[in-house]
Amino acid sequence: MPVESINVQRVAEEFELDSEFTWAADAKITGKSGAVHKFDLVVTSKKDESVKVAVLKGISDDLVSDIMKFNAIAGDCGISLKALVIEKDLDQTETNLVHMYNIVTIDQRNVTRSKSVVFGVKELDESLGGAMRRGNVYMIAGKTGVGKTTTCTQFLVEGAIIGERGAIILTDTRGSEYIANAKTFTFGFEEYYKEGMIEVIELSDRIRELKEGVLESLKSRERYISKLTGEIKRIIAESRISRLAIDPITPMIVENDDFVNQFIMNLAIPDTYLIVTSPVMKSDLSMYGIEEYFVSGVIKLEVDDPTSGLRKATIVKMRGGSYNPYPFYFKITTKGIISSQADTEPRSSGSSFFKKVEE
Ligand SMILES: Nc1ncnc2c1ncn2[C@@H]1O[C@H](COP(=O)(O)OP(=O)(O)OP(=O)(O)O)[C@@H](O)[C@H]1O
Ligand SMILES: [Mg+2]
């Protein structure tokens, strides 16, 4: 594996350096000890040059010594962000070391699929261009009946297909009702639910008691947020969940900027894809008109033509990535979200302000 073959973009994504980074192969850095150390690759943030990721190619026969040395020299150079690029499975000792030293492993064998397939709907995933990241909170917004819950179900099934366990927390529907409906889709919910790859969780009525007084005092607000998000994180960790949907988020929050900001910040879960849904009311993107500011991205769903059932999804916000702002047209059938792109204008892959002239 030559250095050129390391997916530098992937390393930058993993550490959320966005597109603002520089990189150097076989980089030499002088450590605090005065010794000059060489790294296979160093990726540096353009925004803050003190943010550096040291990368080790996991190729040698003695990876254990390599990892130990890599960790030591990164420490000497004051670099805490470390990645190990591999193209094979690590053995137990190597895995333990990597965990102990807080080194992120990047498996180059299957990066394309796991990184860019979020909904399993080709056009929508392509429009997102890999901009949706694990560890952030994204929102699917739209009026009733537009397809928010269906989008969540498909997102979980798509995860299950690639071996990622998922859960949906229902805040305003009975679990039995949700399951009965989701089972009628033919894209595989029923099988994955039965196998336990998808969990369905209901929000209990206890939430109302817990929510009491959250607006009156800072202390009770903090208690509520840490209790609820703590409970969610516990479920995620216990069931080893990689994809979570909260549908809708509204009953968990109150109409207050600081509250929503703090809640969403606390809700983000490392390594987990998290989507929340919201009906629209005070703004065309959310219930209270504030949720959209605090999430990392928003996909807006709308009915385009009520007669034919044609709908459209528009990415209206997606932090730290390039995405296609042109709407994606679809219908919902028993097969789930079906692209209707053929019925509409062809999509331009570049800017929608320009049109290519052809003779
Ligand atoms: N099992 C199904 N088979 C076929 N079509 C379905 C199925 N379930 C839902 N639909 C269609 O998808 C549409 C969107 O439903 P969905 O429950 O995803 O909307 P929603 O945005 O979550 O609505 P709400 O805000 O009321 O929860 C429905 O109006 C219906 O036309
Ligand atoms: Mg719904």
Side-chain angles (χ1 to χ4, degrees):
M1 188 186 358
V3 168
E4 306 83 83
S5 72
I6 295 181
N7 189 334
V8 181
Q9 180 70 38
R10 174 73 210 289
V11 174
E13 266 176 22
E14 197 64 48
F15 292 89
E16 306 206 350
L17 302 182
D18 306 332
S19 52
E20 304 286 305
F21 62 87
T22 57
W23 59 276
D26 291 324
K28 289 196 181 107
I29 299 181
T30 308
K32 283 175 265 179
S33 65
V36 179
H37 303 300
K38 201 170 111 187
F39 295 91
D40 291 335
L41 178 76
V42 171
V43 185
T44 307
S45 161
K46 265 192 194 165
K47 280 190 212 142
D48 178 359
E49 287 196 358
S50 68
V51 177
K52 289 185 186 304
V53 182
V55 184
L56 171 69
K57 288 182 288 176
I59 40 167
S60 87
D61 293 336
D62 191 1
L63 199 49
V64 167
S65 318
D66 279 7
I67 295 171
M68 289 168 86
K69 184 169 167 241
F70 172 67
N71 186 61
I73 63 172
D76 192 30
C77 296
I79 301 178
S80 60
L81 305 178
K82 292 162 283 187
L84 170 66
V85 176
I86 50 168
E87 281 180 344
K88 64 173 183 75
D89 291 332
L90 294 180
D91 67 25
Q92 197 54 51
T93 320
E94 292 159 353
T95 308
N96 290 347
L97 271 183
V98 159
H99 282 157
M100 197 164 85
Y101 294 149
N102 227 345
I103 298 173
V104 174
T105 44
I106 296 178
D107 191 334
Q108 294 227 118
R109 286 171 301 186
N110 51 10
V111 285
T112 22
R113 180 150 178 95
S114 60
K115 265 283 149 178
S116 57
V117 177
V118 180
F119 295 103
V121 180
K122 193 169 156 273
E123 292 81 354
L124 186 55
D125 284 331
E126 277 175 8
S127 291
L128 285 163
M132 258 178 84
R133 312 264 167 83
R134 292 169 200 272
N136 291 342
V137 181
Y138 297 94
M139 190 163 81
I140 312 276
K143 289 185 181 160
T144 183
V146 77
K148 301 182 295 296
T149 302
T150 307
T151 309
C152 292
T153 308
Q154 203 150 328
F155 156 79
L156 297 177
V157 170
E158 191 54 35
I161 292 171
I162 54 171
E164 297 186 353
R165 295 163 61 85
I168 182 164
I169 301 180
L170 301 165
T171 60
D172 72 352
T173 325
R174 288 273 151 240
S176 52
E177 194 186 320
Y178 167 78
I179 292 163
N181 184 56
K183 275 183 180 173
T184 66
F185 284 115
T186 57
F187 53 75
F189 172 84
E190 187 167 14
E191 292 85 328
Y192 289 113
Y193 174 67
K194 275 192 193 146
E195 276 177 27
M197 285 296 286
I198 298 175
E199 281 185 34
V200 177
I201 300 160
E202 273 176 24
L203 186 67
S204 81
D205 293 337
R206 213 166 54 90
I207 194 85
R208 280 192 207 96
E209 292 162 35
L210 200 63
K211 226 162 117 175
E212 256 169 41
V214 289
L215 280 181
E216 270 87 75
S217 80
L218 187 63
K219 211 167 153 216
S220 75
R221 175 169 98 201
E222 278 171 357
R223 194 183 327 120
Y224 168 85
I225 292 177
S226 75
K227 214 165 170 183
L228 185 56
T229 57
E231 186 93 341
I232 292 171
K233 286 174 184 170
R234 187 184 58 76
I235 295 172
I236 295 303
E238 274 177 8
S239 303
R240 289 176 289 111
I241 303 270
S242 308
R243 293 183 174 220
L244 176 67
I246 303 179
D247 183 35
I249 183 97
T250 320
M252 289 187 174
I253 56 176
V254 291
E255 188 176 355
N256 175 283
D257 290 20
D258 291 337
F259 177 95
V260 175
N261 186 7
Q262 208 181 337
F263 187 81
I264 299 217
M265 255 175 19
N266 274 267
L267 195 57
I269 310 167
D271 302 326
T272 308
Y273 271 132
L274 174 48
I275 60 177
V276 302
T277 72
S278 177
V280 294
M281 185 107 128
K282 291 235 165 138
S283 76
D284 64 349
L285 292 179
S286 69
M287 185 70 164
Y288 300 130
I290 46 182
E291 298 88 316
E292 55 268 41
Y293 296 104
F294 301 114
V295 290
S296 297
V298 181
I299 301 175
K300 182 183 179 186
L301 306 184
E302 291 162 285
V303 171
D304 194 62
D305 175 11
T307 336
S308 66
L310 186 68
R311 293 162 157 82
K312 66 174 179 179
T314 317
I315 303 166
V316 291
K317 162 177 172 174
M318 200 53 62
R319 273 186 202 146
S322 59
Y323 58 88
N324 183 354
Y326 198 85
F328 156 67
Y329 290 85
F330 66 99
K331 284 183 182 171
I332 299 177
T333 72
T334 48
K335 289 186 199 151
I337 294 172
I338 302 295
S339 165
S340 293
Q341 222 58 65
D343 304 355
T344 58
E345 287 177 63
R347 294 183 324 154
S348 63
S349 53
S351 162
S352 50
F353 294 115
F354 301 100
K355 208 168 98 190
K356 194 172 161 196
V357 180
E358 271 157 337
E359 285 185 312

